[in-house]
Amino acid sequence: IHNPPPLSEEGRRELEKLAAMPDDQIDFSDIPKSTPEQLARALRNPDFYPPLKLDRRVIESFQERSIGKGDMLMQINHVLLDYIAAQRRPQRKPG
């Protein structure tokens, strides 16, 4: 994949103008309407992301060392993946 050419000054001004535009002035008329079912599946697919209830102490512990919610979830995910990997390793027999 090739990188696009550098943005021109005119292109920069256009992007700044668009970024400053209030949401209520954005024209969405060319986007087809989504059904409630489509939105429900797009926001949370119950087949792949079951809701998890974590103990308050777990959440608080990760919140203390996280930058934001996304970072906290990523840290929890890494801890769980490390645990899974450790469980899959062959156990050494003493002696």
Side-chain angles (χ1 to χ4, degrees), residues 46-70:
D47 297 331
F48 294 103
Y49 301 104
L52 298 175
K53 295 190 187 290
L54 299 174
D55 187 282
R56 176 183 46 84
R57 294 167 297 180
V58 171
I59 294 172
E60 289 172 355
S61 174
F62 279 92
Q63 281 177 333
E64 288 172 4
R65 52 188 164 173
S66 298
I67 298 167
K69 183 178 180 183

Side-chain angles (χ1 to χ4, degrees), residues 19-80:
M21 180 186 293
D23 288 350
D24 63 350
Q25 291 184 9
I26 299 172
D27 178 12
F28 294 103
S29 63
D30 61 338
I31 301 173
K33 297 277 184 202
S34 297
T35 66
E37 294 81 16
Q38 288 171 321
L39 289 175
R41 292 199 58 81
L43 298 176
R44 182 178 55 113
N45 186 336
D47 297 331
F48 294 103
Y49 301 104
L52 298 175
K53 295 190 187 290
L54 299 174
D55 187 282
R56 176 183 46 84
R57 294 167 297 180
V58 171
I59 294 172
E60 289 172 355
S61 174
F62 279 92
Q63 281 177 333
E64 288 172 4
R65 52 188 164 173
S66 298
I67 298 167
K69 183 178 180 183
D71 182 57
M72 179 183 79
L73 296 175
M74 203 163 34
Q75 285 186 28
I76 293 171
N77 194 51
H78 285 295
V79 167
L80 292 172

